[in-house]
Structure formats: C-alpha cells, structure tokens
Amino acid sequence: MSLAGLFDVDSAATGQQVRAEPIQRRSAERLSTLLDAAAEAVDAVGFDRITTAMIAERAGASIGTVYRYYPDRVAVLQALHERTVLRFRQRVVEEFEASPPASWWDVVDCAVTAFVGLYRSEPGFRIMQFADRERANAAEGVNVESGFFATRLAIVLADRFGLPDEPQLIFRVEIAVEMANSLLCRAFLNDPLGDDRFIDECRRVVHDYLASFYGAAVAVPVAPPIAV
Amino acid sequence: MSLAGLFDVDSAATGQQVRAEPIQRRSAERLSTLLDAAAEAVDAVGFDRITTAMIAERAGASIGTVYRYYPDRVAVLQALHERTVLRFRQRVVEEFEASPPASWWDVVDCAVTAFVGLYRSEPGFRIMQFADRERANAAEGVNVESGFFATRLAIVLADRFGLPDEPQLIFRVEIAVEMANSLLCRAFLNDPLGDDRFIDECRRVVHDYLASFYGAAVAVPVAPPIAV
DNA sequence: TCGTCACTGAACGGAACTCGATCATATCCA
DNA sequence: TGGATATGATCGAGTTCCGTTCAGTGACGA
C-alpha cells in the first residue's frame, strides 16, 4: 500500500457546505476562484473583517454567485478550510515522494516541513488553526479534523514503520498532531516566516513524545532516503 | 515573595477596552452583569453568533448601555476574555493555597487543575482559547497572552523551585503553556466534562517536557504539601 | 434643587442574504 | 449543421438583520 494511497487525497468526505454541486466546467472554476479570493481576503484583513462583498469583488463575481454556492459567509470559510487541509495532505504526500521517509520520525519531519512550507507560500493558510476550534460549534457530531488526520497518519505509521496497531496509537498520534499544530501556529503568530525556535522545538517535542512510546528501535526503513 | 504576589492578580495591565470608567457603584455592577451575560451567550450560541442585542437582553439592559461601556462588539468579548484570564490566574493561586506545591511539577498540576475546574464551572470559559489566536490581528505589537502568563509562571518556577533563571526558561514554559492549552481545549471539544484521557496525557506531556530539562532533582520543596 | 452620571430605544448605516430577470451552455431534433 | 429549447450560471437591486449612534429621560449625589 503506497503512502499516497493511504493519504488518499480524493476520498475527502467533504462536508455539506456546498449548496449546488457544479455541473458545467465554468462553475467548478468559479468555486475555486471564490476560495482563492477568500484566501486572499483572509491574509488581507483577517477572518472577522471578511465581507461577502469583498470575496465576490476579488473573485470578479457578484454577490449572488457567492450565495449560489455557499449558504452563508461562514460556509465559505469552512470550505476554504477544507481545501486548505486537503492541500496540506497533498503536500505531505509530495514531501514523502521528494524524500521518502526511512523511519517514523521522518514522517513527522515531512509533516512539519509541509505545514511550514504551506504557511509560507499558500495564501490564507492561517485558516488552518481557526476552524479546528470553530468547527465544534457548527457540527457537534462530526469528528474533529485533527482526529481524522491523526487516524490516517497512524495507519501510515503502523503499516509502513511497524508501530503497533493498537487503539492507543491513534490517540497518541492525535496528541502529537494537536501539540504540533499549536506550536506551529504559535511560530507564525508574530513572524510571517515562522519563528524557527518554535518550529525546531515542535519537531523535537513531537519526536520525543512518540519516541517515549515507540523508541528509535522500532523503525523499519523500507527504502533508503534520497538526498535532495 | 509569595506565590500570590508573583501572580499579582491586581496588576492586570488592562487593555483600553472600557469606554467609561464606572463612577457610581451601580455601573460597576452593570459592567460585570454585561460580562456575565456575554459569557452565558458564548455558551449558548458560540462566539460568532453573539449579537449585542442578545447581550443587552440577557443583562436586562438596553443596547445603548452596552455601548456606554464598550466601544464595539469585539471589545465586549475581549473584556470577557481578560476577566476569564484573570479568574484563571486567581484560581491557580487558590490551588496553590489549597495544596501548596512542593515541587515544580506540583505547580504544573495546580495550573492544569485550575484550568479544568474553571472549564467545568465558569460560564463562557471556552473563550480562553479563541482570543489567544484572535488577538494577533487586533493588536500587532502586543505580546501574546500565553507569553505573558508563561513569563509569570517562569518567575515562580525560578524563584521558588530553583529552576535556572535563564531566558530559555521562559521560552520552555511558553512551549509548555501552548501545548497544555491546546490539549486541554481538545479535551473539552466534544466532552463538556473534559475527556480525562486528554487531561491526564496533558499533565504527563508537560511534566515530561519540563523534566527533560530540569529533571526531578532540581525540585526544592519549600513547605510540606497539605493534604486536602 | 441642580448637575452629573446612567439609561433608553428609535433611527441610521452597512453588511448578510434573497430572488426574479438575464445570459451562457448543453441537448435535441429537423 | 443550425436553430429551438431547457437548464445551468450570473447578476444586482432590494430586503432584512445587526452593529452602532445620539438626543431625550430617569436616577443619584451634593
């Protein structure tokens, strides 16, 4: 089973946030243009100050078009959040392909590198943290995003690197994901390039936490790492 | 120097959020009533869906009264956040007095216990996490809240338990605070009583992180702990 | 009794959101 | 192939809701 397959970027169980599924090609483009506009707006004025008019204008569309696709203002931001999470997962896979992980801590490094890279290059990536918390209000029953990502990550770690496939593994990976997420967001809070002290400490903390259970000995290199 | 003194609950350098300082007694009551109402509203409908009318109504006041004390809607939430942070610090001090910490990890335990206790009993305590992130937009220059708390905590740890008073200490305590905050918020995300697995793991993680630098050996018990 | 503090709620402005009219594209049939 | 028709997609003026103001009224202290 390939790493890319495990992360299975297509099977994103998307929420019901889209009002009308796009039929014609142009509407698919519209959808992504709207999200691009929202992402720009996030960087320009921050979450709260975004207006639907602002999104429409930046996307070269009218207000009505926004509401054709999304039921309300918040739904646009949720959709942006989902797309951002998706792109993060894609980037993690790309990192895997660029420098195949030889051990479980390389996986952690890839994920951190992907996160940092996107924070620096992807417009509106700041939205990664806000919705994690915000979601709880909206959809009570829905599982937490970080839990979903953590579960998939745990599968990779178990399948490819021999970490024991217990329920505990998922829990621990979720702890690691939560910690990493908060420390990385902190790293970018006042520094647009990310404060390296926090980024480095994030790598160390997550590594040490998982190593306290799974040590370095469990690592099962599958392929030699490629120097990049 | 006493623990309470270090946490020095009075010297909260309050932001400029209040429009008119209360002169008569009744207006001081109004202020706290308004914040109580806002806190209830946070629990009832969540941050975004709070309206000024809702706050006024719950407080038994008119719209105009809200705006007499706060310049805008966001300011009310910021004030609630500050009061919540203050109460958290007070509760930490109470925990100290209830069971005087004998070592630095008792301090960590007290802080976690205080956080969990307030999350369970204090209306609107959920606001603790949101503003941490949100603040960054509003006041660019202002230091992060967690940084402020971490700094004071670091002073206690250095002063009372002999942890080395280096700049590194503050940084590490801030890392610890960020991790604890995220894990505890996660604990309450789907469980109003707090998921004990996350709470317990939070204690363990923070302890292990700090112990990796300062070990158990550095602990300097000042007074025997009181059984409660 | 007077002056100041506190409170009220109708009115204003702006942003979220709706909906019927209009344009663009796909499908069908001669 | 071209034109008719249906349906997807877009538009934007209009409606509603909400944040905010302010002039008028009530309450308290001197």
Side-chain angles (χ1 to χ4, degrees):
Chain A
M1 198 176 207
S2 77
L3 287 176
L6 281 170
F7 273 91
D8 193 3
V9 170
D10 297 327
S11 80
T14 77
Q16 243 64 345
Q17 83 286 13
V18 182
R19 214 169 203 180
E21 220 50 43
I23 308 285
Q24 303 179 3
R25 174 183 324 156
R26 60 172 169 162
S27 64
E29 288 164 3
R30 265 280 189 237
L31 261 170
S32 92
T33 305
L34 284 172
L35 293 188
D36 290 343
E40 282 173 28
V42 165
D43 282 342
V45 302
F47 307 124
D48 341 305
R49 304 211 190 289
I50 290 181
T51 68
T52 51
M54 193 183 293
I55 294 172
E57 190 189 346
R58 282 171 189 265
S62 71
I63 291 286
T65 300
V66 175
Y67 284 92
R68 171 168 174 77
Y69 293 107
Y70 299 102
D72 59 21
R73 201 186 71 102
V74 176
V76 181
L77 294 178
Q78 280 186 352
L80 175 60
H81 178 257
E82 282 189 20
R83 190 182 75 168
T84 305
V85 170
L86 191 66
R87 288 190 176 174
F88 168 62
R89 288 168 51 206
Q90 288 172 328
R91 178 67 79 95
V92 171
V93 171
E94 287 169 24
E95 288 291 330
F96 282 170
E97 285 162 357
S99 60
S103 55
W104 63 257
W105 63 80
D106 281 344
V107 174
V108 172
D109 269 0
C110 280
V112 172
T113 302
F115 193 98
V116 170
L118 283 176
Y119 223 124
R120 287 176 179 155
S121 67
E122 175 94 358
F125 193 76
R126 297 162 41 183
I127 206 160
M128 274 294 281
Q129 28 76 282
F130 120 91
D132 242 19
R133 315 284 186 204
E134 205 64 13
R135 183 73 56 77
N137 305 346
E140 280 297 344
V142 172
N143 252 338
V144 198
E145 187 62 52
S146 72
F148 178 73
F149 178 69
T151 302
R152 297 196 151 230
L153 198 56
I155 293 174
V156 171
L157 293 174
D159 250 34
R160 296 263 297 182
F161 298 104
L163 267 55
D165 191 3
E166 323 155 325
Q168 291 246 318
L169 178 62
I170 292 177
F171 173 71
R172 287 163 179 166
V173 173
E174 187 173 354
I175 293 279
V177 169
E178 281 289 339
M179 293 193 303
N181 187 40
S182 69
L183 293 181
L184 292 176
C185 287
R186 175 64 189 81
F188 284 89
L189 195 56
N190 297 319
D191 182 346
L193 289 173
D195 186 330
D196 279 329
R197 293 183 312 150
F198 283 93
I199 295 172
D200 294 342
E201 196 70 350
C202 171
R203 285 199 155 89
R204 228 178 52 76
V205 161
V206 172
H207 174 271
D208 287 359
Y209 173 70
L210 292 176
S212 76
F213 301 108
Y214 306 113
V218 191
V220 179
V222 174
I226 298 173
V228 179
Chain B
M1 197 176 207
S2 78
L3 287 175
L6 281 170
F7 272 90
D8 194 4
V9 169
D10 297 325
S11 81
T14 76
Q16 243 66 347
Q17 84 283 18
V18 182
R19 213 171 204 179
E21 220 50 42
I23 309 284
Q24 302 179 2
R25 167 169 344 144
R26 60 171 171 166
S27 64
E29 288 164 5
R30 265 280 189 235
L31 261 170
S32 92
T33 305
L34 284 173
L35 293 188
D36 291 342
E40 282 174 28
V42 164
D43 282 341
V45 303
F47 308 123
D48 342 304
R49 305 213 188 287
I50 289 182
T51 68
T52 51
M54 192 182 295
I55 294 172
E57 190 189 346
R58 281 171 188 266
S62 70
I63 292 288
T65 301
V66 175
Y67 284 92
R68 170 166 176 78
Y69 294 106
Y70 299 101
D72 58 22
R73 201 187 71 102
V74 176
V76 180
L77 294 177
Q78 280 186 353
L80 175 61
H81 179 257
E82 281 188 21
R83 191 182 76 167
T84 305
V85 170
L86 191 66
R87 289 190 175 174
F88 169 61
R89 288 167 51 205
Q90 287 172 329
R91 178 68 79 97
V92 172
V93 172
E94 286 169 24
E95 288 290 331
F96 282 170
E97 286 163 357
S99 58
S103 54
W104 63 257
W105 64 79
D106 282 345
V107 174
V108 171
D109 269 0
C110 280
V112 172
T113 302
F115 193 98
V116 170
L118 283 176
Y119 222 124
R120 287 177 180 156
S121 66
E122 174 95 356
F125 194 75
R126 297 161 42 182
I127 206 160
M128 274 294 282
Q129 28 76 284
F130 123 91
D132 245 17
R133 316 283 186 206
E134 204 66 12
R135 183 73 56 78
N137 304 347
E140 279 298 343
V142 172
N143 253 340
V144 197
E145 187 62 52
S146 73
F148 177 72
F149 179 69
T151 302
R152 295 194 151 232
L153 199 54
I155 293 175
V156 170
L157 294 174
D159 250 32
R160 296 262 297 182
F161 299 103
L163 267 55
D165 191 3
E166 323 155 327
Q168 292 246 317
L169 178 63
I170 292 178
F171 173 71
R172 287 164 180 166
V173 173
E174 187 173 356
I175 293 277
V177 169
E178 281 289 339
M179 293 193 303
N181 187 42
S182 68
L183 293 181
L184 291 176
C185 287
R186 174 64 189 82
F188 284 89
L189 196 55
N190 296 319
D191 183 346
L193 289 174
D195 186 330
D196 279 329
R197 295 182 311 151
F198 284 93
I199 296 172
D200 294 343
E201 195 71 349
C202 171
R203 285 199 156 90
R204 229 179 53 76
V205 161
V206 172
H207 174 271
D208 287 1
Y209 173 69
L210 292 175
S212 76
F213 300 108
Y214 305 112
V218 190
V220 178
V222 173
I226 298 174
V228 179

